[in-house]
Amino acid sequence: MKNSSLTLKEAFVSLTNNLNDQETRNNNCLDDAYSSVLERCSTRESLSQVKQVHAHVLKSCYVVDMSFIGTKLVFAYGKSGSLLNAQKMFDEMTERSVFTWNALIGAHVTNGEPFEAIRLFMDMNMFGCCSDASTFTLVLKSCGALEVCGFGVQVHGMVTKLGLLSNMYVSNSLIGMYAKFNDSNSANMLFERRNEKTDVVSWNSIISACSASGMSSEALRLFREMQVIRVVPNEFTFVATLQACEESSYLIFGKELHAFLLKSVLYQDTQVTNALVVMYTKCSKMKVAASVFSAMDEKDTITWNSLLSGYVQNGLYDDAVATFRKMQDADKKPDQCSIMSMISAVGRLGNLLNGLEIHAYAMKRRLDSNLHFCNTLVDMYAKCCKMNYAESLFERIKSKDNISWKTIIAGYVENGFFSRALVSFRESQTNKIEGDSMLLTSILQVCSELKLISIVKEIHVHIIRKGLCDLALVNALINTYGKCGCVGYATRVFELIKLKNVVSWTTMMCCLVQNGHANEALDVFISMKETQIEPDSVSLLTLLSAVANLSALRKGKEIHGYLIRKQFVLHGPILSSLVDMYASCGSLKNSFRVFNSIEVKDIVMWTSMVNAYGMHGMGKESVRLFNRMVDEKIHPDHVSFLAILYACSHSSLIDEGKQYFKSMVHNYGLSPWPDHYTCMVDLLGRANKLKEAILFVENMEISPNAAIWRSLLGACKVHSNTELGNFAAKKLLELDPYDSKNYVLVSKFYALCGQWDDLVYIRKKMKQKGLKKDPGCTWIEIRNKIHVFTVRDESHPESDAIYNKLAQINDVLKRLGGYMEKDKAEMLNGHSERLAIAYGLLKTTKGTPIHITKNLRVCDDCHAFSKLVSKYYEREIIVRDANRFHHFNFGVCSCKDFW
C-alpha cells in the first residue's frame, strides 16, 4: 500500500494489517509497508518507533530487499536525531547504494555535523560509489555551513565535469554555498548563466541566499527583477524577501510588501505572516508586530516565539512575560526557544521566583539538557543576583564551551565578585578557552575596579598578538587605562584607532576628565567635531562634567544651547548634569532655573539642587529644599543625606545636621557611609565642639578613615586645639602615610602651633618618601577661552601686564585698607589665584563678576586679599576651591572665614 497522505498512525495500522494477511506474507510484500512507516518517522520524537520497526525487520522473514530497507532505516534514524544508530545501521549493511550513502550524509547535515558529512563524501568517492545530484546538494550545503571555500570550489569543479550544473537543485545549492562565502559575484554569475529563469524555486534560492548572507539590497534588487520578467512569487519568495527587510534602512520596502500581501491570499499563509512579525520586531516596531500577530487566525509555535523573542530583544520584558502567559492560555506548548526567551526576560527583570518556576517547568519537560539552554539559565541566575545558584549550575555543565565561561565570568563582574571573576578567567585559560572580545571586555572591567594595571598590559599584548581589532574591545581598553590612571597609555591606544566611533571619542574624553585633564577633554571634543562625528547624549554628559570641573560657564551655556538646538531629549541624567554644571560654574540662578523647569523631579534631581545650594554655602536653602522633597513623598537615599549633611556642615547648621544624621539611621534605616561620618565630624569641628567630635569618632560603627582625621585636624588648626590636633595628626599619618596633602596639612598645623622641631621632622619625612606638595593651579574663563595660571607663572603672553596690574592692586589695598607690608605682598604675588584675579580685572569691564577656580584650598592670605579686592574694586569675586565656593562681596566672604 503506497499512499503519501498517510499519517504515521495510519502507516502503522497498514503494516499491522499486512503482517496479519497470510497472502501478503507469503508473497514477501512487506517492504513497502515498512518503508511507509519509516518515511513518516521524521521527528526526534519518533526515535522509539524507528527502533520498534528496526527490531521487527531483524526478526522478520518477509523482507525482500534488505539494502532498500536498510537505507530507509539510516534515513529514519538521521531524521530522528540518532546519528549513532544511523552509522551503526550503515556499517552493518553489506550492500550500499548511492541512496544509502546519501541517507547517511543527509543524516549528518540534518543534525549539524557538516564536517562529518564532507568526510563521508570523500569516503564515498574512495569506495568508488558515484555521486548523484542529491549527494552534491548535501555536500555543497555542508561546505557553506563550514565556509570551506577551497573545498567548495573543488566540488563545484566536480559538478561541472559531471554535467550537473543544469540540475536545478544542484545549481541552487551552489548559489547558496557562494552566498554563505559572501561571494555574491559567483552566486549571481551562476544564477545569470542559467538559461531558464522562469522557475520560481531558483529565484527563491538566490534571494534567500542573499538575505541569509546580509546582502539585503541585492536580495531586494533580485525581487524587483523577478517581477519585471513576470515570475509569479510564492510564499517562500515573500518569506526570503521579508528577511532582507529586517534592517531599519529597508523597512519602507518591507511595509510595501506588507501592503501588497494584505490584498493577497498569501497573507493567510502562516510562514508569511511569521516573517512579517519577525521583520517588525527586528526593526523595533513592536506595536506593529503585535498588531500583525493579533490579526492572525492561525498561530503556530514559531509565531509565538517570534513575538516573544522580539519583546526580549527590544527590552520589553514585562510584555514578553505577558505573551508567554497568553501562549499557555491558548494551549500552545512552549518549546525550548520559548523557554529560553522567557528565561532571558525574567533574568533582566530580576524576577527570581518566575525564573525558578520556568527552570522547574523546563526540567519536567526535559528541555534543560541543551548546553545553550544551561548557559542562558546561568545568565538568568547571575542577573537575579543569585551567584550561588549560577555557580552550582555552571559546575554541573559537563562540556563547557566558550559561552559558558563568558557567562559565569560576566555574572561575577555584574555582581561585584571581581577576584572570583579573575580566578575563573585563569581557569578558562587552563581549559584552552580562547579569550575573545566579550571575555576580555569583562576582565578589563575587573581590572578597572581592582586597578590591576599589570593584567591590563597583559591583555593589551594579547590583543596585539591575536590581531583583535574589535572596536568595542579597544574602547574598553582605553576606558580601563583611564580608570587605572594611565592617561598616556589610553591616549596612545586612542591615537592608533583608524576609524573612531562616537564611543571612542567619548571614552577618551571621559578618561581625561576622570584624571583631572578637563581642558584636554574639551580639545578632544573639538577634534571630534572636526571629523564630522555628531556627539550623543553620553558625549555631552561627559562634556558637561569637564565644563563643571573647569567652571567654564560660557562653554556650559554653549552645550546647553546645543542640546536644545539638536532637540536632544532633556531627560533625568542630562538635566541633573545641567543643574550640577551651572552650580559648579557659580551660576545658582541658572541651576535653579533648570531645576524649576522640570515638572516631575526624581531623587537625583532633588539631590543635585540640594547639593548646589550646599556648595555655595546656602545651607538654609538646602534644608528648605530637602524638607520640600520629603513632603512630596520622595524618600531620600544615601547620596541625598550626604548632600544635606555637607550643606549643614558648610553653613554651620549644627542642630539640623544632627537631626538629619539621626533621621537617616532611625527613620530611613540607612547605614552611614564613611563620607556621612566625615560630614558630621566636620560639622562639629566647625562649631568648635571638638570634644563632642572626638567622642563621635570613638563611638562610630566603623573605623575612622583618613578623611575623618583630616577633617578633625583641620578643625583643631582653626580653633588652636594643640592636644587634640597632635593626636589627629599622628592618626592621620599612621593611616595614610603616602598622601602629600596630609603632610601639608600637618605642616601647617605645626607651624601655627609653633612646633618648629615637628615641622622640620615632617618636612624631612616628606622628602624621604619623595612626596611633593601638589602645585597650585588656578584658571579663569575669559572670552570663551580658559587661561591657566600656576605659582609664579610667567608663561602667559600678557604676563608683564598681569604683574603690573597686581602691583597696582597691592598699592591700592595698602593705601586704602592697610594691607600687609610690601615685602610680604611681593612674596605672595606669585600665588596663582592672585594672578587670575589680576587678569580678570584687566580683561573684564567694571562691575562684571570674576569667576576663578583653584585646584587646592585657598590659603589664608589669598582669602584676605580676595575680600579686600571685592571691597575696594567693587567686584563680586566667585572662587571655587577644593573645598567649596567662596562668594566675596563688599569685603565679606560667604564662608564666614571658615573653609
Side-chain angles (χ1 to χ4, degrees):
M1 177 182 178
K2 290 179 100 172
N3 189 344
S4 59
S5 64
L6 284 179
T7 64
L8 178 60
K9 185 177 179 181
E10 288 169 339
F12 262 113
V13 170
S14 176
L15 175 61
T16 305
N17 291 336
N18 282 320
L19 287 168
N20 293 328
D21 185 3
Q22 187 67 39
E23 185 181 346
T24 305
R25 291 203 312 273
N26 290 338
N27 293 329
N28 295 331
C29 296
L30 290 176
D31 288 20
D32 286 345
Y34 283 125
S35 173
S36 180
V37 172
L38 291 170
E39 282 175 4
R40 283 153 184 80
C41 295
S42 57
T43 64
R44 291 181 182 273
E45 286 75 24
S46 56
L47 178 60
S48 59
Q49 287 95 330
V50 178
K51 286 181 176 179
Q52 284 177 5
V53 174
H54 190 179
H56 206 280
V57 166
L58 290 173
K59 295 175 186 177
S60 175
C61 304
Y62 309 108
V63 174
V64 176
D65 190 347
M66 194 59 207
S67 176
F68 171 72
I69 295 298
T71 299
K72 290 290 182 181
L73 279 166
V74 172
F75 179 82
Y77 274 128
K79 287 287 184 182
S80 303
S82 180
L83 281 175
L84 189 66
N85 283 306
Q87 184 69 56
K88 188 178 178 183
M89 183 68 230
F90 178 85
D91 292 340
E92 289 172 356
M93 292 175 67
T94 54
E95 293 181 23
R96 300 171 190 141
S97 66
V98 65
F99 305 110
T100 314
W101 283 97
N102 288 350
L104 189 59
I105 293 169
H108 282 88
V109 173
T110 304
N111 288 279
E113 296 285 349
F115 185 84
E116 190 62 23
I118 290 172
R119 189 193 64 76
L120 283 165
F121 170 70
M122 295 169 76
D123 287 350
M124 178 182 179
N125 286 319
M126 188 177 69
F127 282 108
C129 185
C130 294
S131 306
D132 63 4
S134 296
T135 316
F136 285 112
T137 300
L138 293 166
V139 173
L140 289 167
K141 187 175 181 180
S142 299
C143 292
L146 290 171
E147 296 184 15
V148 283
C149 186
F151 188 74
V153 172
Q154 287 180 36
V155 176
H156 186 175
M158 294 170 70
V159 166
T160 306
K161 283 180 183 178
L162 292 170
L164 291 172
L165 272 176
S166 58
N167 183 285
M168 181 179 68
Y169 298 106
V170 175
S171 177
N172 289 342
S173 296
L174 275 167
I175 290 167
M177 180 189 74
Y178 281 116
K180 288 282 186 183
F181 296 159
N182 288 321
D183 187 354
S184 56
N185 291 331
S186 297
N188 279 320
M189 197 181 298
L190 278 165
F191 180 74
E192 294 298 333
R193 282 179 180 173
R194 297 184 64 164
N195 296 323
E196 186 60 53
K197 288 190 178 179
T198 56
D199 173 34
V200 70
V201 176
S202 303
W203 285 96
N204 291 351
S205 180
I206 186 68
I207 292 170
S208 180
C210 290
S211 295
S213 301
M215 297 182 285
S216 298
S217 57
E218 183 62 15
L220 297 176
R221 184 193 69 77
L222 287 163
F223 179 78
R224 289 191 185 280
E225 188 182 329
M226 179 183 178
Q227 290 177 304
V228 169
I229 65 170
R230 300 188 181 283
V231 177
V232 179
N234 60 17
E235 64 271 28
F236 301 110
T237 317
F238 283 105
V239 169
T241 310
L242 286 168
Q243 284 173 352
C245 302
E246 289 175 1
E247 293 179 31
S248 297
S249 50
Y250 299 108
L251 181 60
I252 293 174
F253 194 89
K255 287 181 176 179
E256 289 176 11
L257 289 175
H258 188 180
F260 174 84
L261 286 165
L262 284 168
K263 301 171 188 175
S264 166
V265 292
L266 291 175
Y267 195 68
Q268 302 303 315
D269 188 276
T270 307
Q271 290 184 74
V272 173
T273 42
N274 284 348
L276 275 170
V277 171
V278 172
M279 179 192 75
Y280 283 119
T281 62
K282 292 283 179 70
C283 294
S284 302
K285 299 292 180 184
M286 287 310 301
K287 285 185 179 179
V288 186
S291 175
V292 174
F293 174 87
S294 299
M296 291 174 68
D297 293 327
E298 289 186 19
K299 304 178 182 75
D300 58 14
T301 305
I302 294 171
T303 315
W304 287 96
N305 287 347
S306 299
L307 191 67
L308 263 175
S309 61
Y311 279 130
V312 173
Q313 288 160 14
N314 288 279
L316 302 169
Y317 307 120
D318 286 316
D319 291 314
V321 173
T323 301
F324 184 77
R325 300 293 185 209
K326 288 177 185 175
M327 182 180 182
Q328 290 178 304
D329 293 341
D331 290 329
K332 290 288 181 184
K333 284 188 178 181
D335 61 8
Q336 197 169 70
C337 184
S338 324
I339 299 295
M340 285 177 68
S341 290
M342 269 303 292
I343 289 170
S344 295
V346 298
R348 281 158 180 79
L349 288 170
N351 192 327
L352 179 63
L353 187 60
N354 278 353
L356 289 167
E357 286 176 0
I358 294 164
H359 189 179
Y361 178 89
M363 289 175 72
K364 285 179 184 176
R365 303 283 176 181
R366 296 183 179 177
L367 298 171
D368 62 334
S369 57
N370 180 277
L371 176 60
H372 184 37
F373 183 84
C374 290
N375 290 339
T376 308
L377 272 174
V378 171
D379 180 62
M380 183 269 291
Y381 283 124
K383 283 185 167 56
C384 291
C385 305
K386 283 290 180 182
M387 282 310 297
N388 53 337
Y389 291 5
E391 278 180 336
S392 176
L393 194 58
F394 175 77
E395 292 301 330
R396 289 204 302 270
I397 299 173
K398 291 179 181 178
S399 300
K400 301 175 181 70
D401 64 357
N402 194 297
I403 295 170
S404 309
W405 286 100
K406 283 192 287 189
T407 305
I408 193 69
I409 290 169
Y412 283 129
V413 174
E414 286 170 16
N415 288 278
F417 298 107
F418 303 117
S419 298
R420 190 72 192 89
L422 204 56
V423 170
S424 293
F425 175 61
R426 295 302 189 199
E427 286 177 14
S428 73
Q429 289 180 307
T430 305
N431 284 277
K432 308 297 182 186
I433 297 295
E434 188 67 30
D436 62 5
S437 296
M438 190 180 293
L439 183 57
L440 294 176
T441 300
S442 291
I443 298 305
L444 284 172
Q445 192 175 338
V446 171
C447 296
S448 295
E449 298 294 336
L450 301 180
K451 304 293 183 287
L452 301 171
I453 189 61
S454 60
I455 296 177
V456 180
K457 290 178 180 178
E458 277 182 41
I459 293 171
H460 191 175
V461 170
H462 178 82
I463 290 169
I464 295 168
R465 281 180 182 165
K466 294 291 182 180
L468 298 174
C469 52
D470 182 76
L471 189 54
L473 176 61
V474 177
N475 290 340
L477 183 63
I478 295 168
N479 180 58
T480 307
Y481 273 131
K483 290 279 182 69
C484 293
C486 299
V487 179
Y489 282 111
T491 304
R492 279 197 286 276
V493 174
F494 174 75
E495 288 171 349
L496 288 170
I497 302 173
K498 291 180 180 178
L499 294 172
K500 303 175 180 73
N501 62 8
V502 67
V503 179
S504 310
W505 290 98
T506 304
T507 305
M508 192 63 233
M509 284 192 288
C510 193
C511 165
L512 291 165
V513 171
Q514 287 168 351
N515 287 279
H517 302 287
N519 216 3
E520 289 85 344
L522 294 181
D523 293 337
V524 169
F525 178 74
I526 293 165
S527 299
M528 179 177 111
K529 291 284 288 176
E530 288 170 357
T531 63
Q532 306 302 313
I533 291 178
E534 287 295 317
D536 59 10
S537 57
V538 182
S539 312
L540 294 168
L541 280 170
T542 304
L543 202 60
L544 284 170
S545 180
V547 168
N549 287 353
L550 291 169
S551 295
L553 181 59
R554 183 171 291 189
K555 287 192 182 293
K557 287 181 176 179
E558 285 178 9
I559 298 165
H560 192 176
Y562 181 88
L563 285 163
I564 294 167
R565 283 196 312 276
K566 293 292 183 178
Q567 297 182 332
F568 276 85
V569 178
L570 298 182
H571 56 89
I574 288 181
L575 287 168
S576 57
S577 293
L578 282 169
V579 169
D580 286 334
M581 182 273 293
Y582 279 122
S584 298
C585 293
S587 179
L588 263 178
K589 284 183 181 178
N590 282 322
S591 193
F592 186 72
R593 194 174 292 145
V594 172
F595 173 80
N596 217 30
S597 68
I598 306 158
E599 290 185 16
V600 181
K601 304 173 182 71
D602 61 10
I603 182 69
V604 178
M605 185 57 62
W606 284 99
T607 302
S608 296
M609 198 63 226
V610 169
N611 187 60
Y613 280 128
M615 72 168 74
H616 285 270
M618 300 177 68
K620 289 184 178 178
E621 283 300 313
S622 290
V623 167
R624 182 189 62 78
L625 201 65
F626 187 90
N627 291 340
R628 190 177 135 200
M629 175 183 81
V630 173
D631 290 341
E632 294 197 16
K633 309 299 180 188
I634 292 175
H635 284 265
D637 59 9
H638 279 95
V639 182
S640 310
F641 275 110
L642 192 59
I644 192 62
L645 288 173
Y646 173 88
C648 291
S649 170
H650 282 76
S651 297
S652 299
L653 301 174
I654 295 94
D655 293 336
E656 290 88 342
K658 286 180 177 180
Q659 185 59 41
Y660 285 128
F661 187 83
K662 185 179 177 182
S663 174
M664 178 180 76
V665 176
H666 298 293
N667 297 346
Y668 293 94
L670 299 173
S671 299
W673 294 345
D675 290 343
H676 295 106
Y677 287 118
T678 304
C679 280
M680 286 303 296
V681 172
D682 190 59
L683 176 75
L684 296 169
R686 285 172 184 272
N688 199 13
K689 295 180 179 291
L690 294 172
K691 286 185 179 180
E692 190 177 342
I694 190 62
L695 192 64
F696 178 83
V697 170
E698 288 170 352
N699 291 323
M700 288 190 322
E701 292 184 4
I702 63 167
S703 298
N705 60 12
I708 290 171
W709 290 118
R710 199 180 297 122
S711 181
L712 191 62
L713 179 59
C716 291
K717 173 177 164 286
V718 170
H719 297 295
S720 304
N721 190 320
T722 307
E723 184 182 350
L724 185 55
N726 277 304
F727 178 73
K730 181 186 175 186
K731 289 288 186 183
L732 176 61
L733 294 181
E734 283 176 358
L735 200 61
D736 192 2
Y738 293 100
D739 191 336
S740 61
K741 292 194 296 291
N742 297 337
Y743 287 90
V744 171
L745 180 59
V746 172
S747 297
K748 288 182 178 179
F749 173 75
Y750 287 155
L752 190 72
C753 297
Q755 297 175 216
W756 307 115
D757 290 341
D758 291 328
L759 178 61
V760 170
Y761 172 78
I762 211 72
R763 285 181 175 172
K764 184 180 177 183
K765 199 80 174 169
M766 196 173 173
K767 191 174 181 180
Q768 286 173 351
K769 290 180 181 289
L771 300 174
K772 292 182 180 179
K773 179 184 175 183
D774 292 334
C777 176
T778 304
W779 52 94
I780 182 171
E781 183 186 25
I782 301 288
R783 298 188 186 96
N784 210 26
K785 185 179 178 183
I786 307 293
H787 297 264
V788 182
F789 298 93
T790 55
V791 180
R792 290 182 287 280
D793 195 350
E794 295 182 359
S795 62
H796 196 279
E798 298 177 73
S799 181
D800 291 342
I802 292 168
Y803 277 100
N804 287 336
K805 183 66 179 178
L806 196 52
Q808 291 175 17
I809 295 168
N810 286 334
D811 287 341
V812 169
L813 297 187
K814 186 179 179 183
R815 188 174 69 251
L816 298 175
Y819 191 52
M820 64 182 65
E821 295 298 323
K822 185 177 180 181
D823 290 344
K824 189 175 180 184
E826 288 179 358
M827 182 181 74
L828 294 168
N829 269 356
H831 282 207
S832 59
E833 53 263 62
R834 295 181 183 226
L835 296 173
I837 290 171
Y839 190 63
L841 289 170
L842 198 64
K843 289 294 177 180
T844 59
T845 56
K846 190 175 181 179
T848 306
I850 295 172
H851 293 258
I852 69 169
T853 305
K854 185 172 183 182
N855 65 328
L856 304 176
R857 175 185 173 278
V858 174
C859 72
D860 296 346
D861 292 313
C862 289
H863 192 267
F865 173 84
S866 301
K867 286 200 294 184
L868 291 171
V869 171
S870 73
K871 179 179 180 181
Y872 293 113
Y873 280 84
E874 297 179 350
R875 292 286 195 106
E876 182 184 7
I877 300 173
I878 302 166
V879 179
R880 178 186 168 193
D881 72 1
N883 279 11
R884 58 170 295 151
F885 268 91
H886 301 263
H887 291 259
F888 297 98
N889 230 333
F890 306 111
V892 178
C893 180
S894 59
C895 74
K896 298 174 185 175
D897 298 339
F898 195 123
W899 69 101

